[in-house]
Amino acid sequence: MAGTSQQALRVVHLYRAVIRDLQPYTTNRWMWFAEKEKIRARFEANRNMTDPMQIETTLRAGEAEFQKWRHPDPYTTPYLFGGSRYMRNPPMPADGSISMAFDFGREAGTWDPRDTPATGHHH
Amino acid sequence: MYLCLFLFPFFGFLVSGSFGRLFGKQGAAFIATFCVCCSCLCSFVAFYEVGLTSCPVTLSLFPWICVDVVESFWSISVDSLTAVMLVVITTISSLVHVYSISYIKDDPFLARFISYLSLFTFLMLSLVLADNYLQLFFGWEGVGLASFLLISFWSSRLQACKAATKAIIINRVGDVGLALALFCFILIFGSVEYSTIFSCSSKVAFCTFLFCQFKVDILSCIGVLLLIGASGKSAQIGLHTWLPDAIEGPTPVSALIHAATMVTAGVFVLARSSPILEFSPVVLFFVSLVGAFTAFFAATTGLVQNDLKRVIAYSTCSQLGYMVFASGLSQYALGVFHLSNHAFFKALLFLGAGCIIHAIKDEQDLRRIGGLAYLLPFTYSFILVGSLALVGFPFLTGFYSKDAILEFSLSNFSVTGGLCHWFGVISALFTSFYSFRLLVLGFLGYPNGFKSFYKNCHEAPLFIAVSLIPLGLGSLFIGFFCRELFLGAGTPFWANSIFIYPVRESIIEAECAPVILKQIPLFFTVMGAAVSFSFIYHNPIITYRFLFFNQMFRVFYTFLNQRWLFDRVYNESFAKAFLFFGHAISFRIVDKGALEILGPFGIVFIFPGLSKQLISLQSGRVYHNVLFIVYGLGFLLCSPLFYSSNGCFFLISVGCWIVFRVF
């Protein structure tokens, strides 16, 4: 395949994203395996493209189709970001590095009398 | 005994909340659970004494607010309606406490959790034991607070904090309605006590007064305000968005608050206020519509939810709609009967869901579990019982109340009744579909989870199992045993606690309705189950093809999955505007702007700064000193001009000051 390395990376990312997004649609794993083969076949059909412009066009069409068919309620692993168990009773940092914000409420753009031209912005 | 019933949970809250570390988290949990169980036993005695032997009890404890003509006492008033609620609240609460001992045992904050549960129980009891609307309002607000504390129990999770904030804010919107109703009671009746208001309500029926400069019917206005309050608490359409997000809390919280007790407070208030609502047909019409549409909406949304607890949450919302539209058809007893039945099988479903989640490492997505029937037979049995009760399987608990609601709506012989009936029947179809979908995907279908889930999968430990058994028995038998007591023709059970205008009584018509019409809900239930099995179990590929290749179906699926886009609309219309006001104006300009400058923080920095400015006037240069002498002389000579309204001299002074600073 004579595309750029970035295009190759995008193809891999697209393939993995499509396969991952296919799972919420399929109720059973054997359905997922069967549909995965069909998706693979579609990618394999374009394996021997050499023209970078053609690859780019096909890649963009594939990404657009993926965005169009993305599942509205994708699955999230419980302990990862967005999951039901994420940050539930997180462990204390081992090195005790907990920072306390004593200046709660100070934001950029609010008046702070401690700001002077000499000391600069106090936030 | 009644004081013990009321105060035991509060004692449990104090012990586990204040002395959790002294007794240890398990010790504190056991003490609080024991207190609530004692309260439960007292409630059964109270049910016998008040409900079965028809001896209502009122204990006036001490005066609370006595201003002018308004007198409010802290009191405990137990009649039949209260007795039913007491049994429901304390029973479910005791079982949830027992469940939580095992479910939350690995959490370092078990004592705090149990204390919140006990606090909630105490506040809910104060709501139902009130004999005036002010005490009811205290309990009403209190359970909202307890709900906030419990949903945000895992406060390290951002989603939990957001869900808790959403719950309390939406409840507050409803509370505005209840508060305004309270003000109307004081204005019209000069009292907040039930006895005064209910005995005088017929006298003010069809009279008008000025409300916000509009001439409105008194009881209709009060009824609408009560409906708004009930809608907030009971998650009716419009103010329902907090309920599905409330599953962020631990599963026992969902079982206690969001299935069995707090959400039923709205239905309780409607039943309690029956002497007011019965004189306002307009309000009853709106109550019926709101309830019926909520039942339909929630059922459609529950069809396509993929989170196990969210499906059950929408099921709760749908059943609350049933209760509310039963109240709208003047069948308050039926609404309360369904409330009590629903508490058992819904708590069973939630606690059973907790068993699943506990067994498979906190996995909640229905698409990643499956095949658990052989691994968790005990849990499966109870969830099956709960689901069958929910869908109204013949002769289980839900059948007696849910089908009765549909029969009564059919026998109402009005447009409202017909509308409610068909909304209810279609909701029953959807309820059956998603209930069996849950069973198929979770237990009967193909295992979709990770191998490690199934290898380490284990049944519920003792405390969890023990708490499921009474709920299972209740889901099987309570409906059968209590039907005649609650709904029987001429039953003396309710006495004066519920008032139905005689013209609106339709029990004879419901009993004498054609049998074929009474089988309609059963037919739709079976159809829902059949469709669910067919599409989800036997031919899942059909659903996949529809979803993946049909754009129209996909749009419909997305619309339902995103909950009819209510959250999106609310966020775009209201939330963004209020958040902008709260941050940009209230916080930055007022709080951290004007109040900071004019407050102590500003004074601490401004005055030294001004002092430094003044000090800098003493520059030590002769011509500066001469300028000040001239300035002082001029000021003395021209000082009479200050007493005129001419501001020129002031302007000249400012100009001199500026000239001095520049040069």
Side-chain angles (χ1 to χ4, degrees):
Chain A
M1 186 171 70
T4 64
S5 60
Q6 282 175 345
Q7 284 176 332
L9 204 60
R10 281 169 62 193
V11 169
V12 170
H13 286 160
L14 177 63
Y15 176 72
R16 288 170 64 85
V18 169
I19 296 303
R20 207 179 301 122
D21 199 65
L22 205 55
Q23 257 194 326
Y25 281 99
T26 56
T27 328
N28 294 330
R29 277 195 181 266
W30 57 261
M31 276 171 57
W32 182 51
F33 295 146
E35 297 303 315
K36 211 168 57 160
E37 293 303 316
K38 293 178 188 172
I39 297 294
R40 184 61 186 245
R42 286 184 67 181
F43 275 80
E44 289 291 339
N46 297 319
R47 175 185 273 275
N48 297 320
M49 273 188 195
T50 53
D51 180 18
M53 291 302 296
Q54 195 184 6
I55 293 171
E56 182 66 28
T57 311
T58 312
L59 198 52
R60 284 190 185 180
E63 285 166 349
E65 192 182 339
F66 170 63
Q67 289 301 323
K68 183 185 168 191
W69 289 104
R70 288 195 79 164
H71 198 281
D73 187 16
Y75 171 75
T76 313
T77 308
Y79 50 84
L80 294 181
F81 178 75
S84 60
R85 220 179 77 189
Y86 179 67
M87 282 296 279
R88 187 191 290 183
N89 291 329
M92 291 286 285
D95 57 357
S97 58
I98 299 175
S99 60
M100 301 280 288
F102 293 105
D103 207 6
F104 179 71
R106 293 271 162 237
E107 290 185 354
T110 55
W111 176 77
D112 190 336
R114 295 168 293 178
D115 289 341
T116 63
T119 60
H121 197 64
H122 209 82
H123 304 308
Chain B
M1 185 197 75
Y2 294 93
L3 269 178
C4 288
L5 189 161
F6 182 44
L7 293 175
F8 265 135
F10 186 67
F11 178 72
F13 156 69
L14 282 180
V15 166
S16 53
S18 308
F19 305 108
R21 292 196 185 275
L22 178 65
F23 295 113
K25 59 179 186 176
Q26 293 280 341
F30 275 110
I31 292 173
T33 305
F34 177 75
C35 291
V36 173
C37 289
C38 290
S39 192
C40 179
L41 288 172
C42 293
S43 73
F44 280 107
V45 176
F47 182 80
Y48 168 77
E49 226 177 73
V50 174
L52 297 181
T53 62
S54 303
C55 298
V57 170
T58 303
L59 298 172
S60 188
L61 298 176
F62 52 86
W64 183 22
I65 295 175
C66 296
V67 176
D68 203 8
V69 297
V70 178
E71 285 188 347
S72 170
F73 285 75
W74 273 103
S75 10
I76 295 172
S77 169
V78 187
D79 58 9
S80 306
L81 177 60
T82 307
V84 171
M85 293 298 294
L86 286 175
V87 168
V88 169
I89 293 165
T90 52
T91 308
I92 304 296
S93 184
S94 318
L95 295 171
V96 166
H97 274 73
V98 170
Y99 184 95
S100 303
I101 291 173
S102 188
Y103 191 79
I104 314 279
K105 71 174 171 55
D106 293 327
D107 195 292
F109 305 110
L110 172 62
R112 178 165 62 94
F113 181 74
I114 295 287
S115 75
Y116 288 164
L117 287 181
S118 297
L119 174 67
F120 170 82
T121 308
F122 165 71
L123 291 165
M124 193 70 200
L125 289 176
S126 71
L127 190 159
V128 301
L129 285 169
D131 81 334
N132 59 78
Y133 277 99
L134 206 56
Q135 185 179 338
L136 178 140
F137 193 66
F138 165 79
W140 189 271
E141 293 292 312
V143 295
L145 168 69
S147 172
F148 170 82
L149 292 172
L150 283 163
I151 297 172
S152 63
F153 175 67
W154 288 314
S155 52
S156 50
R157 277 178 59 77
L158 182 62
Q159 285 299 111
C161 296
K162 284 162 65 180
T165 309
K166 188 176 185 180
I168 201 165
I169 287 174
I170 294 180
N171 276 334
R172 290 298 279 168
V173 174
D175 295 348
V176 167
L178 190 63
L180 287 173
L182 204 62
F183 303 153
C184 289
F185 289 136
I186 295 170
L187 179 68
I188 303 297
F189 299 101
S191 171
V192 292
E193 291 194 5
Y194 294 154
S195 49
T196 310
I197 292 168
F198 297 158
S199 41
C200 297
S201 62
S202 59
K203 304 295 177 202
V204 300
F206 312 112
C207 296
T208 59
F209 78 130
L210 280 180
F211 180 79
C212 298
Q213 304 305 316
F214 289 100
K215 198 172 179 186
V216 294
D217 181 74
I218 294 174
L219 295 183
S220 298
C221 177
I222 292 174
V224 167
L225 294 171
L226 287 172
L227 174 61
I228 294 171
S231 298
K233 212 54 113 191
S234 289
Q236 298 302 292
I237 192 162
L239 297 175
H240 67 280
T241 50
W242 66 273
L243 186 59
D245 289 354
I247 60 165
E248 286 294 331
T251 308
V253 170
S254 302
L256 177 63
I257 291 182
H258 308 124
T261 41
M262 189 181 98
V263 293
T264 57
V267 180
F268 169 77
V269 156
L270 291 178
R272 178 60 80 198
S273 307
S274 55
I276 297 171
L277 299 178
E278 281 299 292
F279 291 104
S280 180
V282 172
V283 172
L284 288 175
F285 170 72
F286 281 116
V287 171
S288 309
L289 271 190
V290 165
F293 204 62
T294 302
F296 174 75
F297 150 76
T300 56
T301 312
L303 288 174
V304 295
Q305 296 300 313
N306 296 307
D307 188 311
L308 172 61
K309 285 168 68 175
R310 208 178 290 269
V311 173
I312 305 174
Y314 275 107
S315 170
T316 302
C317 193
S318 183
Q319 298 304 308
L320 288 168
Y322 276 90
M323 294 173 214
V324 169
F325 89 66
S327 302
L329 298 173
S330 298
Q331 305 305 323
Y332 305 98
L334 187 48
V336 174
F337 183 45
H338 190 52
L339 184 161
S340 58
N341 292 348
H342 170 263
F344 282 89
F345 54 74
K346 196 47 60 69
L348 178 63
L349 282 173
F350 265 113
L351 298 186
C355 290
I356 299 174
I357 294 166
H358 187 75
I360 53 172
K361 290 188 183 172
D362 297 317
E363 181 60 68
Q364 288 183 196
D365 200 309
L366 284 170
R367 299 167 293 189
R368 287 301 183 96
I369 57 178
L372 295 175
Y374 293 107
L375 292 170
L376 304 175
F378 182 83
T379 307
Y380 169 61
S381 313
F382 281 94
I383 290 191
L384 179 65
V385 165
S387 297
L388 291 175
L390 171 63
V391 304
F393 190 83
F395 312 117
L396 263 57
T397 292
F399 170 76
Y400 289 103
S401 53
K402 194 171 159 191
D403 276 34
I405 290 176
L406 296 172
E407 277 175 30
F408 274 84
S409 59
L410 192 65
S411 312
N412 200 255
F413 300 124
S414 64
V415 172
T416 316
L419 202 66
C420 293
H421 174 77
W422 285 106
F423 269 130
V425 161
I426 294 171
S427 304
L429 167 73
F430 294 156
T431 302
S432 177
F433 181 89
Y434 61 65
S435 298
F436 283 96
R437 176 173 177 261
L438 193 152
L439 285 171
V440 166
L441 288 178
F443 293 98
L444 304 174
Y446 191 83
N448 287 313
F450 296 112
K451 188 175 172 183
S452 59
F453 290 170
Y454 296 101
K455 282 179 74 173
N456 300 320
C457 192
H458 57 89
E459 266 290 10
L462 175 67
F463 279 106
I464 291 179
V466 157
S467 57
L468 290 182
I469 293 170
L471 293 172
L473 292 171
S475 301
L476 287 170
F477 301 118
I478 287 231
F480 172 75
F481 286 115
C482 296
R483 193 214 181 257
E484 284 305 316
L485 178 67
F486 284 32
L487 303 180
T491 175
F493 179 77
W494 297 106
N496 286 334
S497 58
I498 288 177
F499 170 73
I500 304 178
Y501 208 64
V503 172
R504 298 180 67 88
E505 188 63 75
S506 59
I507 188 166
I508 305 298
E509 290 88 340
E511 287 293 321
C512 300
V515 174
I516 191 73
L517 293 179
K518 294 187 186 185
Q519 307 305 326
I520 293 174
L522 180 63
F523 170 74
F524 275 79
T525 299
V526 170
M527 192 163 76
V531 169
S532 179
F533 266 100
S534 170
F535 277 84
I536 310 296
Y537 188 67
H538 290 294
N539 298 303
I541 196 81
I542 297 177
T543 317
Y544 167 71
R545 293 271 176 238
F546 262 113
L547 203 51
F548 203 62
F549 294 110
N550 188 317
Q551 181 70 7
M552 185 70 81
F553 187 81
R554 220 183 110 76
V555 167
F556 187 61
Y557 176 91
T558 306
F559 179 68
L560 295 182
N561 185 267
Q562 298 303 312
R563 314 164 211 178
W564 289 37
L565 302 175
F566 266 101
D567 289 311
R568 183 81 176 266
V569 168
Y570 282 177
N571 284 342
E572 296 291 329
S573 321
F574 304 115
K576 281 187 179 173
F578 285 121
L579 284 173
F580 172 78
F581 173 82
H583 181 74
I585 297 173
S586 172
F587 179 69
R588 286 171 66 118
I589 296 177
V590 176
D591 209 21
K592 291 292 178 187
L595 294 181
E596 285 273 314
I597 296 170
L598 298 173
F601 190 74
I603 291 171
V604 160
F605 287 97
I606 286 176
F607 277 94
L610 280 175
S611 304
K612 282 182 189 168
Q613 298 270 341
L614 282 171
I615 289 167
S616 67
L617 285 175
Q618 187 69 310
S619 63
R621 295 199 174 101
V622 175
Y623 51 87
H624 284 161
N625 292 342
V626 168
L627 178 64
F628 275 113
I629 291 169
V630 168
Y631 193 79
L633 274 173
F635 180 78
L636 282 171
L637 289 171
C638 302
S639 58
L641 289 175
F642 277 124
Y643 295 101
S644 70
S645 58
N646 190 351
C648 288
F649 193 80
F650 177 70
L651 290 173
I652 293 169
S653 310
V654 172
C656 290
W657 175 264
I658 291 170
V659 165
F660 173 75
R661 293 300 300 158
V662 169
F663 295 104

